[in-house]
Amino acid sequence: MPGLIETPGLPLPPPPPPAGPGFSVHSQRVELDIDFRAQKLKGKTDITIQPHSKDLRTVKLHCRQCVLKRLNVEGKGPSLNYEDPYGNLKIPDAYTALQHHIVSQKFEPALRDAPEEEISLTIPKSVKIDEQDPFSTAAQRMLLARSSIGSKRQSDAPTPVTEVPTILKTAGGGENDARFTPIRIHVEFEVSNFRDGLHFVGMEDGDARYPHVYTRNTGSPRVTSCIFPCVDDPLARSSWEILIRCPRTLGDAFAKPKPLTNGVNGHAKTNGILTNGVSENAADEEYTGPELTEQEEAMELAVVCSGDLTDEIVDPADNTRKTVSFTCAAEVAPRHIGFAIGPFEHVDLSEFRDVDEDEKLGSNAFRVHGFCLPGRADEVRNTCFPLSRAIDFFTMQYGAFPFTSYKVCFVDDLVTDVADTAGLSLCSNRLLFPEDILEPIDHVTRVLTHALASQWIGVNIIPKDPSDTWAIVGIAYYMTDQFLRKLSGNNEFRYRQKLAADKVAEQDLMRPSLYTLGSILHLDPGEMEFMALKAPLVLFILDKRLTKASSTIGMARIITRIFINAKTGDIENGAIDTAYLIKICERIGHLKLESFFQQWVYGAGCPQFSVTQRFNKKKLVVEMLIKQVQNDRPSSREIRPESFYREVEEDEKHVYEGTVPPVFTGPMTIRIHEADGTPYEHIVEIKEATTKFEIPYNTKYKRLKRSRRQKERAAAANGVNPNDETQDDVLLYCLGDVLQTDEDVAEWRLTDWSKDDEDRMSQESYEWIRMDADFEWICKMQLAMPHYMFVSQLQQDRDVVAQLESIQYLVAQKAHPLISTILTRTLMDHRYFHGIRTSAAAALAKCARDELDWIGLFHLEKTFQDSFCLPNSPMTRSNDFSDRTSYLIQCAIPRAISNVRDNSGKSPLRVKRFFVDKLKFNDNSNNDFSDVHYVSTLLSCLAETLINRSASGDFDFSFDDEDDDREEVFKRNALNEIERYRRIDEWISSYQNIFSTTAIDCLQRLMQSKVIVLKVMDILLYTRLGNADVLRLKGFRALVELGMFRDTAIMRYMFHSLATDTSPYMRAELKALIGIGLGKIAIGEGKTEGPDQQQLDGGLIIEQEASTELRAAAIARKHNISDAVAALRKEIGSEEVLQKAVWHAVTSPIISLPEMGRLLDLCRMLFEPVSSMVVKLHYPRYWKVQNQGNGKLRFYRSTRVRTSPIHRIHPPAQAQLPPQPSQLSTTTATTTATTTVSPARASSQQTTRTTHDSRRNSAMGPPPSRTHSISLSANPGTRKPSGSPPAPASSPAPTTSNLHVPPPAGLAQPPVPGRATVLKIGKKASSAAAHSPPIASPATTSLPAPALPPPPPPPPPPPADPFAPPSSGLAGFRTFGVPAVTTTAAADFRPIASGGGEGGVEAGADTSASASFSDFRPVVTDPNGDDVGMTDASPEAVMGAGDGARMVGNGKRKRAQEEVAGPDAREVKKSRTPERPREGEGGGEGGEAKPPLQKKKSFKLKIGGR
C-alpha cells in the first residue's frame, strides 16, 4: 500500500447529500418470457414512481444489454437517450493489449461501483404532475401500502438528515410521499445475448447436466438491470409483482417451434417462424438442444422466485407454456429479486422440526422449502436439516422472519456458495453432501446458517453506505455463530473463536480498517473474506464488554432492538450505518463506546502485549507489567502469491492502510489460580502503552500438586492413604492424568518431572496466571511464565481457550521427552475437547527427533496402535466413524506422523511403511460412513513422506547403496498405490472425485520436489473441457504451483480457457489462479538459477557473490508491491504471446462487463500503455475489363496481387474528327477518357466503401465480379489544356475492338474537376469516327497530364475517436506496394472530417515505415461505392511537402441525381446546368479560371447485367 492515512474521528461529519433523482419507486411489475432454446428473454415492466415535486421532468433508469422495443410514460411516448455499455463492448480489431488504457477509459463509467443510469427519458409535457388531495382514495391507497412498514421518521439519527429529493422511500417515507400523483412508466424489451444477469446451464452439446436457468445475484453491482429495466440502486426499495412465462416441461423447452401456415387470428409470427414456415434464424433451426430421454422430457419445469406464489396457469393458446405469478409485499431492492427455472424437486425441510417446537412457535413457525435438481433430494435433506432449527432459534432470539417463507434452491455454476435474495437463497450444488460423508459438515452448516441470517440483516436490513457493510456482515455472522454455539456446544464455539482471533491478529497487518474495507470489496474476494473473519469477532468482544457492565445486556438485545426499529419504521428505508449502531449500543449498554469503535472499526491492526510477572513475598502481591508492542511491528511484510493481486489492486486504487492506534484501551480480566486452586479474577483498565500494577495475594503458601501421580507419591512418602478424603490437597479437577501406572509408564516410555522441577514448583505461590480470561481482546499475548505453569493451565483449566494457549506455548519450546509425555497424555485423555487432542497430536511431531530417540514418533505410533489397530499388529481394525471425535483423531495422527523428519530432512523408513500398511489394511466394509476423506488423508501423507525437506544445496554424504535401493523400491510402491486409487476413481467416482484430486495434488508436490520427473501432460489431461470443474481447477492449480505459468503455451492455454468457458464459476477461479501465477513470477518464486550460483554435474553448486544491487532487488520484490510489479513487467510484460492471450480474453464475447474490467486491470498491471498500434494494410489487386459486346463492359477484380507502385500512364492524344453536319456547330466528339470527381461526396463514399472492401477482401478473398455503369456524354465545351503538344500525325481510327479503356483500378489520368468521362462505344462511336479526321500516331504526339490545382488548406482535425470502426486501409485511399503489416504511430493516422464529409488520414513526422506515402492513391468510386478508378496524382501534390502534412484524397466526384432502373442497371440523368469551375481550375497558365462551360448534352447508357 502507498502508506498511512489518518482515519476519521468520531463522530463522523455527515457526507454531503447526493443530488437525488427527485422521485422514489413505489412498485414495479415485471413480466418475463424465457426461451430456453434460444437462450433469450422477452419482457415488459411497469414502474410506478412517486414524484417529489411538480417540476420533475427527467427520469433515469438502469438498463443493460436490453433492446428496447417500446417505452411510454402514462401511455405517451417520451424523448429518451439510451446508452447501453454492453452495446459498446465491441473493441476495434486493430487494438491490442497495449491500448488497454484507451478501452479502460471508455468503460470506466460503467465499471464504477455505482454506475450512472443508462436510460434518461424526458416526461412529456402532456403528462401533468398534480398535487393530490391527501384524503383522496389514491393517496390513502398509497399510504396504506406502506402501513406494514411504518411511517415514523428516524428521530434518533446520529447525524442530522438534510431534506433533499432522494430515492430513499420505503420505511419512514418523506413528506413528499403520496403528495403528488404517481407516474407509470411502461417498457417493453428483449435480451438475446446474456453476458450477465441470467445464466443458462446444460444447454451445450455434450453437457450432461439438467438444463436450468437462474439469476446471477452476485458479481456486478447492477446485475438486475441486465435482466429488466429498473432503478437498480440498493436503496431503491419497493414492492414487486413478477410474472414468469416459461415452457411447461423440459421437452417443451427444446421442442422445435411449430410453423404457422397463415398469419391470421393474431398469430402472425411466433418464435422466429414466419407465416410460410421459414425460420428467421437458420442456426436456431440446426440447434437441437441437449440429448434428453423420454423420462427427462416429461419432467415438469418449476419456477422458484422471490416472494409468494400466487398463481400458475397453462397458456390457453399454447399448452406447452405456462405462466407463474409471484408477489413480494415486503419492499426490497432490485438486487434482491431472484428466480430459478428448472426441473427442480421439492423437499419440505420443515419436517425436521419437532412437534413441540411447532406448537411452541405457533404462527411464527415458518416453513422451509428446498429445491434441487433430480436425484439429489436426499443430499438436500442431509445438508439442510439444521435450517429448520436455525430459523426457530433466530425467531425466538431476534424476532419473526421478515418474509412469509424461506426457500433454498441448489444450482450449478454459481460463483459464490450462496446468493441472497428476498426469501430465497440460491446455493451452489458444491455444498451438497450425502449422509455418509462427515468432512464438510462444519463448513456447510455455517454457510447455510449465514444465508438464513442474511435474510434478517442483509436483505431486510441493508447498509446505508458501502462503508457500513461491516455492520451488516458482522451481525449476520454473529447470529450464525450464536446458533452454532447452541448446535455444537460452547467448547466448539470458543475453540473456533480462538482460531479466528489468531488468524486476524496474523493477517491484520498493513491492511485498511473495517470501515474503509466496505468501499473496496469489489476489488478482490479476499477483502470480503477478511471482513467476514474480523467483523463478527469485533462484535463478539463488544458483547463481552457490554455483558461485563450489565449481565442482562449484550449484542443479542441490541440486534433485537435493531430489527424491531426496522419493522416499526424507525430505521429509514431499512438502512443502518455505523453511527446508528454506535448510538443504539451506547443507549442500551449505558456505556461510552467511542474509543472502542475508533480502535476496532475506524482503526486497523491488533494489539500485541508483552506481559511479565513477579511475586513479591514481602508485600504479598503479584507485580505485573503489561506493554503494548504493536508499534514495533515490521514496516513491511513478505508478499504472498495468494494476496499479490489484491495488494496490486489496492495500490492502484490508492487504498491506504489503516492507522494502528498506538494504545488500545479497555478492560482486561486477569485470573490468578492460587495455591489452593481457587481462581481470583482482577479487572485491569488498560489506558497506556505501559501499564504497571499490583495484584493482592489471598491464600497461604501451599501448592496444589501437579497430578494424581504426584499426590500419590507425596502421600506414600508421608505414610498417608492417598485415597483418604480428609486430605486437603486432593485435586478438584485434573485432565491428562491417564497412563499413570508403572506398567503404562514403562510401556509408553513416559517421563516425569525431575527433582529440580518439583522443587521449583513447590516454591511457587500460585499455579498459573491467565491473561484476558474473558476473551475480550483480539491480540497476540506473550506471557513470561514458567513452563510448568502452562502445563498446570493445560491440565486444570476448564476453558478450551486456555488449553489451546498452553498447547501453542509447548509447540514453541525446544523438544523434550517431558513435553512429549504431557502431549501424549493429552492425546489419550478422552475428556479433552477434540480440537485440543488434534492440536496435541500435531505438536508431538516436533518431539520426533533423532537425538530424542524418536520419542514423539513412538508416542504417535503407539497412540494409533492402541486406538485403531488390532492388538500387537499393524493391521487396523475395521473403520468405525460413528464417533466423530474418534474419526478426527484417526485423521490427525497420520498427518502428524507425515511431518516427522530426520536431521537430513528425510522421512524415516518406518514412517513410510506405516502409511503403506495403513492403506493396505484399510477396511471400510462394516462402516456406515464413507472413508474417502480418510483414504485421501493417507495418500497425501504418503506423498509427503517421499519429499525431502533438506535445505536447498545440502549435500548428502550417505554412501549406503542398500538404503538407496530400499528407498527406490518404496517410492515405486507408493506411486503405484496413488495410481491405484486414481484408477478406482475413474471407474467408481468418489465424492467430488476426491481420489483424483488427491492424486493430482500428490503428483504436483512430488514433481515440485523433484522426486519424480515433471510430466505436464499427465496433469493437462485433467484440465480438458468436459471434466468435472473440481478436477479441472485442481489441474490448473497444479500447473500454477509447478511454475508452469511461466511457459507461454500454458499461459496462453489458461487465458484461452478463461475466455471460452461458459461457467462463471470456472472463469472466476481461473482468474484467481492466474493472479497466483503472476504473483509467483513477481516475487521470483520458483525462479531458476540466478546470477549468483552455478550448478555443475553431480548436483554440486558453486555459489558466487552477487552484486549488492541484485540482492537488494531480490529482497525488494518480495516485500514491496511496486518493485514486484516492476519485476513482473520486466520479465513477461514484453511477451507478445501473453499480450495476445490477455487481449483474447478481454475481447471474449461471453464475459461480463465486470469481468472485462478486471482483465483490463490485469493489462494495466502487466503492460505499459502505448499510444500506437499495428496497422494492417492489404495489397491491392489488379482490375480486369471484359468486353461483353452490345456496349457492355464488365470490370472485375482479379486474383493477381499488385506488389509494386503504379506508374503513370498517359494515353495518346486523339486527332479531332470532323463533326457531323448536324452537330458541327454544337458538338466536338473526343475519345479521351477522363473521370468526373465530385468534391462534395466522394470522400465519405470512399471511406465507407474502402473499409467495406478491405474487410471483405480479408474475410472472403477475391470479391465477386460486378458490373459498373459508365456515364457517356458529349462535352462541346471541352478545351484542350494549354501547353499540350501537337496532335500525333496519324493514328488508326478508334473502334470497339482497339479502343483503349484504362482499367478503373488506377490506369486513368489524374482526375480533373469539372471534366466528365467520355467513352464512345458502338454505333455512335463508329459514326463519330467516320466523320473524324485521321488520328495522329501515338509515336509522334501525346497529350500531357493536366496540371493539378493546389490542394485547399485542410480544416482542423476533430478529436480522435479511438472507438471508430476499424479499417484495414486508410479512408479513401488504395495502397500499392505496401507490406501486409506496418507499424506506425497512432498519431500518424487519425480520421479527419471536413464540411464536405471528406475522409483522409493525417500524416505525422515518422514516414520511415516500409509503406511510403507514394504508395497511396485516392480511389474513385461509382455511385454504389465500388472502386472504378484511381487517381495517379503524386503524393507530394496531394499531401504537400514536409512532416505533419495532411493527406486528403482528391478523388472527389459530384453525385448526380440517380434513378435505379433495375437491380443491375443504373441510369444517370441529364444534367441541366453546367458545373462551374472553381478558382484556380483553368486550362490556362497562372491558374486562370475557365470560362463558363457550354451546356452539356448527355445520354443514358445501360451497362451490366447478371
Side-chain angles (χ1 to χ4, degrees):
M1 297 184 185
L4 297 174
I5 189 171
E6 294 295 331
T7 54
L10 284 176
L12 289 176
F23 67 92
S24 56
V25 181
H26 175 262
S27 63
Q28 184 164 355
R29 185 177 190 271
V30 181
E31 297 182 20
L32 303 176
D33 190 346
I34 310 295
D35 188 348
F36 273 70
R37 181 183 176 87
Q39 300 183 29
K40 64 181 182 180
L41 175 148
K42 295 181 180 180
K44 54 185 177 181
T45 181
D46 294 326
I47 306 175
T48 303
I49 64 173
Q50 184 67 54
H52 291 173
S53 68
K54 299 175 62 175
D55 300 330
L56 177 66
R57 303 316 310 169
T58 302
V59 176
K60 295 183 178 181
L61 304 175
H62 294 94
C63 181
R64 296 187 170 192
Q65 74 181 8
C66 299
V67 178
L68 299 183
K69 297 298 183 180
R70 178 178 300 176
L71 190 150
N72 59 64
V73 178
E74 293 293 342
K76 299 177 176 59
S79 59
L80 62 89
N81 180 28
Y82 177 35
E83 297 181 0
D84 180 16
Y86 280 89
N88 299 327
L89 285 185
K90 176 63 178 176
I91 299 176
D93 296 336
Y95 279 31
T96 65
L98 303 181
Q99 284 79 48
H100 59 83
H101 57 295
I102 304 178
V103 183
S104 298
Q105 184 179 4
K106 167 82 173 179
F107 296 114
E108 189 273 335
L111 293 173
R112 297 172 184 166
D113 189 37
E116 298 180 356
E117 298 83 353
E118 290 78 26
I119 296 179
S120 178
L121 59 91
T122 302
I123 299 178
K125 294 183 179 180
S126 57
V127 177
K128 303 297 182 182
I129 301 177
D130 299 325
E131 186 171 357
Q132 61 182 359
D133 185 4
F135 300 101
S136 65
T137 304
Q140 293 298 322
R141 188 182 300 111
M142 191 80 66
L143 293 175
L144 183 62
R146 299 189 179 92
S147 61
S148 60
I149 305 298
S151 59
K152 181 181 177 182
R153 292 195 59 83
Q154 182 178 343
S155 59
D156 55 350
T159 54
V161 179
T162 305
E163 291 293 336
V164 294
T166 177
I167 207 163
L168 305 180
K169 169 193 77 75
T170 308
E175 299 176 356
N176 295 324
D177 283 358
R179 180 181 175 184
F180 301 96
T181 55
I183 298 176
R184 185 179 64 88
I185 302 174
H186 177 79
V187 185
E188 296 182 10
F189 57 93
E190 179 179 351
V191 184
S192 57
N193 182 23
F194 277 100
R195 284 177 173 242
D196 203 354
L198 281 185
H199 179 58
F200 291 85
V201 182
M203 306 295 175
E204 300 178 355
D205 295 335
D207 195 342
R209 296 176 295 180
Y210 287 98
H212 58 283
V213 61
Y214 59 89
T215 55
R216 294 179 57 187
N217 293 83
T218 57
S220 174
R222 299 294 184 262
V223 65
T224 309
S225 60
C226 296
I227 307 174
F228 53 83
C230 59
V231 182
D232 200 358
D233 190 278
L235 300 178
R237 296 154 66 89
S238 63
S239 58
W240 295 82
E241 182 181 359
I242 303 170
L243 290 82
I244 299 177
R245 187 172 182 265
C246 65
R248 190 173 57 86
T249 64
L250 201 56
D252 297 335
F254 297 97
K256 291 185 178 181
K258 299 179 181 180
L260 301 178
T261 56
N262 54 46
V264 298
N265 299 327
H267 298 285
K269 183 191 266 190
T270 303
N271 295 330
I273 301 298
L274 301 180
T275 55
N276 59 359
V278 179
S279 174
E280 290 180 338
N281 191 353
D284 182 70
E285 189 93 359
E286 298 175 358
Y287 175 68
T288 58
E291 297 181 1
L292 302 174
T293 63
E294 294 182 0
Q295 183 180 2
E296 293 172 342
E297 290 180 352
M299 290 181 177
E300 191 83 12
L301 289 182
V303 181
V304 186
C305 182
S306 300
D308 303 324
L309 176 65
T310 57
D311 196 6
E312 180 175 353
I313 59 174
V314 178
D315 193 340
D318 186 0
N319 59 1
T320 64
R321 303 184 71 81
K322 64 179 180 180
T323 302
V324 188
S325 304
F326 298 87
T327 58
C328 185
E331 299 187 345
V332 295
R335 65 170 57 184
H336 293 139
I337 295 296
F339 62 86
I341 307 173
F344 298 118
E345 296 180 0
H346 175 255
V347 179
D348 187 5
L349 299 176
S350 302
E351 63 185 12
F352 295 104
R353 180 183 290 122
D354 296 336
V355 178
D356 297 339
E357 291 291 334
D358 205 350
E359 295 177 355
K360 182 179 179 180
L361 293 171
S363 61
N364 289 330
F366 296 93
R367 295 182 61 84
V368 182
H369 305 276
F371 296 89
C372 64
L373 295 173
R376 311 200 71 171
D378 292 337
E379 296 182 14
V380 171
R381 292 187 181 93
N382 180 73
T383 305
C384 302
F385 84 92
L387 285 181
S388 59
R389 297 185 60 183
I391 196 172
D392 295 342
F393 174 81
F394 291 151
T395 301
M396 296 294 295
Q397 291 289 327
Y398 307 110
F401 187 65
F403 306 101
T404 57
S405 64
Y406 180 59
K407 301 180 284 289
V408 288
C409 183
F410 291 88
V411 296
D412 288 322
D413 291 345
L414 194 65
V415 177
T416 57
D417 288 337
V418 176
D420 299 315
T421 64
L424 168 66
S425 293
L426 296 175
C427 304
S428 172
N429 278 329
R430 300 184 298 272
L431 298 177
L432 295 177
F433 61 95
E435 60 182 357
D436 62 341
I437 298 296
L438 295 175
E439 198 72 20
I441 185 171
D442 292 331
H443 168 70
V444 172
T445 302
R446 190 169 193 264
V447 169
L448 294 179
T449 306
H450 175 260
L452 177 61
S454 298
Q455 297 294 316
W456 270 271
I457 185 161
V459 177
N460 183 47
I461 297 178
I462 59 176
K464 181 176 289 187
D465 188 79
S467 299
D468 304 315
T469 306
W470 78 270
I472 303 298
V473 174
I475 294 176
Y477 274 106
Y478 180 85
M479 295 170 58
T480 301
D481 293 337
Q482 294 304 309
F483 169 72
L484 295 179
R485 182 178 189 173
K486 180 182 180 181
L487 184 68
S488 304
N490 190 61
N491 282 343
E492 180 78 25
F493 169 75
R494 290 182 65 85
Y495 178 74
R496 299 292 178 186
Q497 294 293 93
K498 173 59 178 175
L499 294 181
D502 292 344
K503 196 173 182 180
V504 169
E506 179 183 356
Q507 293 184 3
D508 198 0
L509 179 64
M510 302 178 65
R511 301 199 65 157
S513 64
L514 272 179
Y515 187 81
T516 307
L517 207 60
S519 59
I520 60 172
L521 293 177
H522 61 281
L523 294 183
D524 189 81
E527 309 287 5
M528 176 57 77
E529 293 176 2
F530 181 73
M531 176 179 285
L533 184 67
K534 183 177 179 180
L537 279 176
V538 171
L539 296 182
F540 171 74
I541 64 175
L542 175 61
D543 175 74
K544 290 295 181 180
R545 299 193 181 185
L546 291 173
T547 53
K548 180 165 289 188
S550 175
S551 58
T552 60
I553 298 174
M555 282 303 302
R557 184 174 175 182
I558 293 173
I559 294 173
T560 303
R561 173 56 59 185
I562 292 175
F563 293 161
I564 293 175
N565 291 348
K567 188 175 182 179
T568 57
D570 287 348
I571 300 179
E572 186 177 8
N573 206 33
I576 65 173
D577 57 3
T578 304
Y580 174 80
L581 181 61
I582 294 173
K583 187 161 188 176
I584 196 171
C585 289
E586 292 179 342
R587 176 177 297 179
I588 296 177
H590 305 289
L591 287 176
K592 283 295 183 180
L593 300 173
E594 178 180 347
S595 61
F596 177 87
F597 282 90
Q598 180 66 37
Q599 295 163 14
W600 296 103
V601 177
Y602 296 103
C606 296
Q608 298 182 18
F609 293 106
S610 176
V611 183
T612 58
Q613 51 81 29
R614 187 178 68 88
F615 181 70
N616 191 330
K617 293 183 179 180
K618 294 182 179 180
K619 296 182 179 181
L620 290 181
V621 295
V622 179
E623 299 174 348
M624 301 196 69
L625 179 65
I626 302 178
K627 292 183 179 180
Q628 296 191 33
V629 296
Q630 64 268 12
N631 292 330
D632 299 337
R633 62 177 184 167
S635 58
S636 63
R637 61 179 176 180
E638 188 170 346
I639 302 173
R640 298 183 300 112
E642 293 77 12
S643 62
F644 168 73
Y645 186 76
R646 174 184 59 80
E647 295 186 28
V648 171
E649 286 295 298
E650 291 177 351
D651 185 68
E652 290 287 341
K653 299 299 188 298
H654 304 288
V655 178
Y656 297 92
E657 59 178 292
T659 301
V660 180
V663 178
F664 284 84
T665 62
M668 179 179 291
T669 301
I670 301 175
R671 183 181 299 159
I672 299 180
H673 293 257
E674 298 189 2
D676 61 349
T678 304
Y680 293 90
E681 291 188 355
H682 306 271
I683 300 176
V684 178
E685 193 71 25
I686 305 296
K687 297 181 179 180
E688 298 177 355
T690 301
T691 303
K692 188 176 181 179
F693 54 91
E694 297 178 349
I695 299 177
Y697 190 72
N698 300 285
T699 60
K700 296 182 294 184
Y701 287 32
K702 192 170 185 179
R703 283 195 47 76
L704 190 65
K705 301 305 178 186
R706 306 244 63 78
S707 65
R708 185 181 303 166
R709 178 68 177 169
Q710 294 173 351
K711 169 181 171 291
E712 293 174 354
R713 228 182 256 171
N718 298 328
V720 181
N721 184 7
N723 298 322
D724 190 355
E725 296 181 359
T726 60
Q727 293 206 45
D728 55 358
D729 58 351
V730 67
L731 290 175
L732 300 177
Y733 184 80
C734 185
L735 297 173
D737 55 356
V738 297
L739 304 176
Q740 295 288 340
T741 65
D742 294 336
E743 294 80 5
D744 291 337
V745 171
E747 181 183 356
W748 286 75
R749 296 166 54 185
L750 301 178
T751 304
D752 218 333
W753 295 98
S754 65
K755 186 68 171 60
D756 295 338
D757 290 336
E758 290 185 352
D759 292 341
R760 285 196 301 269
M761 287 188 291
S762 62
Q763 297 176 2
E764 293 292 346
S765 302
Y766 47 85
E767 294 290 325
W768 71 92
I769 298 177
R770 176 83 189 284
M771 304 297 298
D772 189 23
D774 288 344
F775 205 162
E776 303 170 81
W777 294 79
I778 306 172
C779 63
K780 286 185 178 181
M781 187 76 66
Q782 296 177 356
L783 175 60
M785 193 168 64
H787 59 275
Y788 46 78
M789 289 190 178
F790 281 102
V791 176
S792 296
Q793 178 175 305
L794 172 63
Q795 295 177 344
Q796 300 179 40
D797 201 319
R798 296 173 181 265
D799 189 2
V800 67
V801 176
Q803 298 168 5
L804 184 58
E805 289 174 349
S806 299
I807 295 291
Q808 293 172 345
Y809 172 82
L810 294 177
V811 171
Q813 304 307 307
K814 184 179 180 181
H816 193 275
L818 180 59
I819 295 179
S820 181
T821 298
I822 296 171
L823 294 175
T824 302
R825 284 174 171 159
T826 303
L827 178 59
M828 290 298 296
D829 193 343
H830 295 268
R831 293 171 295 177
Y832 277 107
F833 175 65
H834 69 80
I836 302 302
R837 297 177 65 190
T838 54
S839 300
L844 272 171
K846 190 173 182 180
C847 298
R849 305 293 300 175
D850 194 4
E851 55 270 19
L852 299 179
D853 195 18
W854 303 105
I855 185 63
L857 176 59
F858 171 78
H859 285 156
L860 286 171
E861 291 176 335
K862 185 67 175 176
T863 304
F864 195 90
Q865 166 73 28
D866 185 76
S867 302
F868 308 109
C869 295
L870 298 175
N872 301 321
S873 173
M875 182 179 295
T876 57
R877 296 193 297 263
S878 180
N879 294 330
D880 183 11
F881 298 157
S882 57
D883 184 1
R884 186 164 180 263
T885 298
S886 177
Y887 164 75
L888 295 175
I889 299 300
Q890 189 172 351
C891 293
I893 293 177
R895 293 193 191 100
I897 294 177
S898 66
N899 293 322
V900 175
R901 292 293 187 275
D902 58 17
N903 294 330
S904 63
K906 294 183 179 180
S907 181
L909 188 59
R910 59 190 279 197
V911 172
K912 300 177 182 178
R913 287 175 178 168
F914 172 85
F915 291 107
V916 172
D917 293 340
K918 299 307 172 283
L919 285 170
K920 183 185 300 183
F921 299 123
N922 179 59
D923 179 17
N924 202 61
S925 58
N926 299 323
N927 192 9
D928 294 334
F929 298 92
S930 173
D931 65 341
V932 292
H933 286 91
Y934 173 64
V935 173
S936 171
T937 300
L938 294 179
L939 290 175
S940 298
C941 295
L942 178 61
E944 185 69 22
T945 59
L946 298 176
I947 299 174
N948 189 351
R949 293 185 181 175
S950 61
S952 177
D954 290 353
F955 194 79
D956 187 7
F957 292 95
S958 175
F959 299 99
D960 193 348
D961 295 337
E962 184 178 353
D963 290 344
D964 294 342
D965 294 340
R966 287 199 300 264
E967 292 284 345
E968 188 65 28
V969 171
F970 175 80
K971 183 177 72 173
R972 186 162 55 249
N973 293 336
L975 294 176
N976 291 337
E977 198 69 20
I978 296 174
E979 180 68 14
R980 181 170 72 90
Y981 279 98
R982 188 190 67 82
R983 291 186 177 274
I984 289 176
D985 200 33
E986 292 181 356
W987 292 97
I988 305 174
S989 295
S990 58
Y991 169 73
Q992 293 188 351
N993 298 106
I994 190 171
F995 286 160
S996 296
T997 55
T998 303
I1000 296 173
D1001 184 67
C1002 293
L1003 293 177
Q1004 172 253 311
R1005 286 186 291 163
L1006 294 176
M1007 294 178 187
Q1008 194 171 8
S1009 303
K1010 299 182 180 180
V1011 177
I1012 60 177
V1013 297
L1014 186 63
K1015 297 180 180 179
V1016 180
M1017 290 304 301
D1018 292 348
I1019 298 179
L1020 278 174
L1021 292 176
Y1022 288 97
T1023 64
R1024 294 182 302 181
L1025 188 64
N1027 292 334
D1029 290 348
V1030 63
L1031 284 176
R1032 297 186 63 202
L1033 291 175
K1034 181 61 73 171
F1036 281 119
R1037 179 174 290 274
L1039 293 175
V1040 172
E1041 294 295 336
L1042 288 172
M1044 296 305 299
F1045 194 74
R1046 293 176 179 270
D1047 187 89
T1048 55
I1050 300 297
M1051 189 183 299
R1052 181 173 55 187
Y1053 174 53
M1054 292 188 68
F1055 276 105
H1056 175 76
S1057 301
L1058 173 63
T1060 57
D1061 203 302
T1062 58
S1063 170
Y1065 169 72
M1066 280 295 300
R1067 296 199 298 267
E1069 293 297 318
L1070 282 173
K1071 173 65 176 58
L1073 290 177
I1074 289 173
I1076 295 175
L1078 294 175
K1080 288 179 174 293
I1081 300 175
I1083 65 177
E1085 182 177 319
K1087 193 175 182 180
T1088 56
E1089 300 170 10
D1092 57 336
Q1093 65 181 22
Q1094 296 179 358
Q1095 185 170 356
L1096 305 179
D1097 295 339
L1100 183 63
I1101 295 180
I1102 301 177
E1103 295 189 356
Q1104 301 175 352
E1105 292 189 8
S1107 63
T1108 306
E1109 293 78 5
L1110 292 178
R1111 291 183 180 274
I1115 295 175
R1117 68 189 299 182
K1118 295 179 183 294
H1119 294 83
N1120 187 279
I1121 195 64
S1122 300
D1123 293 331
V1125 172
L1128 179 65
R1129 285 182 174 179
K1130 183 178 179 181
E1131 289 195 24
I1132 64 174
S1134 59
E1135 291 283 348
E1136 185 177 355
V1137 174
L1138 176 61
Q1139 296 176 11
K1140 293 181 179 179
V1142 176
W1143 203 244
H1144 173 60
V1146 171
T1147 57
S1148 171
I1150 64 174
I1151 64 173
S1152 64
L1153 192 61
E1155 290 174 318
M1156 176 184 286
R1158 286 188 284 270
L1159 288 173
L1160 289 173
D1161 292 339
L1162 190 65
C1163 292
R1164 184 182 65 249
M1165 177 181 67
L1166 292 175
F1167 313 120
E1168 290 287 348
V1170 177
S1171 297
S1172 64
M1173 66 185 67
V1174 175
V1175 180
K1176 296 182 179 180
L1177 304 175
H1178 293 275
Y1179 284 120
R1181 298 180 184 179
Y1182 282 90
W1183 282 81
K1184 290 187 177 181
V1185 59
Q1186 179 183 2
N1187 188 353
Q1188 297 182 345
N1190 297 326
K1192 295 181 179 180
L1193 295 179
R1194 174 174 170 263
F1195 295 90
Y1196 61 95
R1197 187 175 293 157
S1198 67
T1199 59
R1200 181 185 174 190
V1201 179
R1202 186 190 302 277
T1203 59
S1204 59
I1206 187 173
H1207 300 287
R1208 186 174 301 178
I1209 299 176
H1210 302 289
Q1214 301 287 342
Q1216 295 292 335
L1217 300 178
Q1220 297 180 5
S1222 60
Q1223 300 177 356
L1224 285 177
S1225 61
T1226 58
T1227 304
T1228 301
T1230 178
T1231 58
T1232 303
T1234 60
T1235 305
T1236 300
V1237 181
S1238 173
R1241 302 183 181 179
S1243 179
S1244 60
Q1245 295 177 0
Q1246 292 165 6
T1247 303
T1248 304
R1249 191 59 186 178
T1250 303
T1251 304
H1252 170 74
D1253 285 347
S1254 61
R1255 289 183 177 178
R1256 179 193 60 198
N1257 295 340
S1258 61
M1260 302 177 57
S1265 302
R1266 57 168 55 89
T1267 59
H1268 303 269
S1269 60
I1270 303 178
S1271 173
L1272 305 181
S1273 63
N1275 187 355
T1278 301
R1279 296 175 53 186
K1280 183 177 179 180
S1282 99
S1284 300
S1290 64
S1291 176
T1295 62
T1296 304
S1297 59
N1298 64 10
L1299 179 62
H1300 176 71
V1301 180
L1307 300 182
Q1309 294 183 12
V1312 179
R1315 300 177 62 185
T1317 300
V1318 181
L1319 190 63
K1320 308 204 79 159
I1321 302 176
K1323 294 182 179 181
K1324 292 190 176 183
S1326 302
S1327 175
H1331 299 275
S1332 300
I1335 301 176
S1337 172
T1340 57
T1341 307
S1342 62
L1343 290 176
L1348 290 175
D1361 183 10
F1363 294 92
S1367 176
S1368 57
L1370 299 177
F1373 289 85
R1374 180 72 60 193
T1375 61
F1376 294 88
V1378 185
V1381 179
T1382 59
T1383 304
T1384 313
D1388 298 338
F1389 298 95
R1390 290 200 298 268
I1392 62 174
S1394 61
E1398 299 176 358
V1401 294
E1402 184 173 307
D1406 185 9
T1407 58
S1408 60
S1410 56
S1412 63
F1413 288 109
S1414 62
D1415 299 330
F1416 297 91
R1417 296 290 185 270
V1419 179
V1420 181
T1421 60
D1422 66 354
N1424 276 0
D1426 295 331
D1427 300 340
V1428 298
M1430 181 168 13
T1431 68
D1432 200 24
S1434 63
E1436 293 77 13
V1438 177
M1439 294 171 48
D1443 296 337
R1446 296 165 58 87
M1447 180 169 62
V1448 182
N1450 64 344
K1452 308 166 187 174
R1453 171 174 57 84
K1454 183 177 181 180
R1455 184 187 296 268
Q1457 297 179 358
E1458 300 175 352
E1459 66 177 9
V1460 179
D1464 299 309
R1466 293 183 293 272
E1467 298 178 349
V1468 183
K1469 289 188 175 182
K1470 179 172 56 177
S1471 177
R1472 300 199 177 188
T1473 57
E1475 183 180 62
R1476 294 185 177 273
R1478 294 176 296 180
E1479 295 183 4
E1481 292 186 353
E1485 299 182 4
E1488 297 178 359
K1490 293 183 180 180
L1493 298 178
Q1494 299 181 10
K1495 181 178 180 181
K1496 280 199 267 185
K1497 181 178 181 182
S1498 303
F1499 59 89
K1500 300 177 184 178
L1501 176 64
K1502 185 167 88 171
I1503 302 178
R1506 293 182 181 269

